[in-house]
Amino acid sequence: MFTFAAIGKALTSSTAKNIYIAIVISVVAWGLDQNGYSRAQSKYELQIATENEKRAETERIAEQKRQAKRDAEARNVLQLSGELLEAKEQIDALKNKLNERAKDVSTQYRPQPAAALVAIPQWIVTNGWVCDYDRAIGYGVPGAAGADIGGVEIQACAADPFERSSIEAEQILRHHEEYGAYCRKLEEQLDRVLRHVDFIEGNAAR
């Protein structure tokens, strides 16, 4: 026979069990939730670390390529500089040989085959000829720099153009040899600059 005390005890016992079960379920659920959060957090951190590593590797490879291009350009500059120096030395060597011949080929000649050398008849050039020669190569033109074969200023251009100039054939020839060597060196230098520009553009395309 059930009594109020027994019923209360039974209810109390049943309620306690339910509360206990609810607590256990809550604890298990919380534990599962925490484990899930931890796994998600670990997965996220691993993903971030992997992406950072990939970016670092990509940047490292890119920097290696940039450094390789810089090294290649530096080697090209050294090679072209060596070529330019050699070309200038060859130009100077030729100029020196021509200068050695300047006096002989300007003051004597052979009137006929196998004949002895004789002095060249007096060579006359006018002030106007010297003036035009200087201006033709850029001296005496406004804005141009340099000295003409007659001095710092083009004296021939200020004198009577049809009077005889004091300039001799040997002086003009030597000046032409010097100026020719100067122009050829500029040409060689420009050639190396253009070749290096082509190298850089080709290197950048790779």
Side-chain angles (χ1 to χ4, degrees):
M1 182 175 182
F2 291 99
T3 63
F4 286 108
I7 293 172
K9 184 177 180 180
L11 289 174
T12 302
S13 177
S14 176
T15 302
K17 288 181 180 180
N18 290 336
I19 293 174
Y20 175 76
I21 292 172
I23 292 173
V24 170
I25 292 174
S26 298
V27 170
V28 171
W30 180 84
L32 292 175
D33 183 65
Q34 285 297 106
N35 289 335
Y37 173 79
S38 298
R39 286 195 298 272
Q41 181 69 16
S42 298
K43 183 178 180 181
Y44 173 75
E45 292 176 354
L46 178 60
Q47 181 180 357
I48 294 298
T50 301
E51 291 177 354
N52 289 338
E53 184 177 348
K54 287 181 179 179
R55 281 195 294 269
E57 179 65 12
T58 300
E59 178 58 27
R60 185 185 67 81
I61 294 174
E63 177 57 28
Q64 285 182 341
K65 291 181 179 180
R66 289 192 293 267
Q67 185 61 48
K69 289 182 178 181
R70 289 193 292 266
D71 292 343
E73 290 172 7
R75 288 192 298 270
N76 190 60
V77 168
L78 290 176
Q79 178 181 342
L80 293 177
S81 297
E83 291 180 6
L84 179 60
L85 179 61
E86 182 178 354
K88 287 183 175 181
E89 290 175 348
Q90 292 176 353
I91 291 172
D92 284 336
L94 175 60
K95 181 196 68 176
N96 292 336
K97 287 183 178 180
L98 294 177
N99 282 341
E100 292 175 359
R101 284 167 42 91
K103 182 176 180 61
D104 291 337
V105 298
S106 299
T107 58
Q108 55 187 349
Y109 79 110
R110 197 183 309 279
Q112 56 186 1
L117 295 175
V118 297
I120 294 177
Q122 192 175 33
W123 187 81
I124 298 176
V125 62
T126 64
N127 288 326
W129 191 97
V130 175
C131 174
D132 292 349
Y133 176 93
D134 285 343
R135 285 180 171 172
I137 60 176
Y139 295 147
V141 178
D148 68 293
I149 58 176
V152 176
E153 297 179 356
I154 304 182
Q155 300 174 356
C157 293
D160 184 343
F162 294 101
E163 286 185 0
R164 178 179 178 177
S165 172
S166 61
I167 300 300
E168 298 180 354
E170 179 185 350
Q171 291 175 276
I172 295 175
L173 180 57
R174 287 183 182 277
H175 177 268
H176 185 68
E177 292 166 356
E178 294 287 341
Y179 190 72
Y182 170 76
C183 292
R184 290 183 60 201
K185 288 179 181 180
L186 287 181
E187 181 183 13
E188 293 288 349
Q189 184 173 345
L190 178 60
D191 174 71
R192 269 60 180 191
V193 170
L194 293 177
R195 285 169 58 187
H196 186 58
V197 170
D198 289 341
F199 181 86
I200 292 176
E201 291 178 348
N203 199 24
R206 290 194 290 270

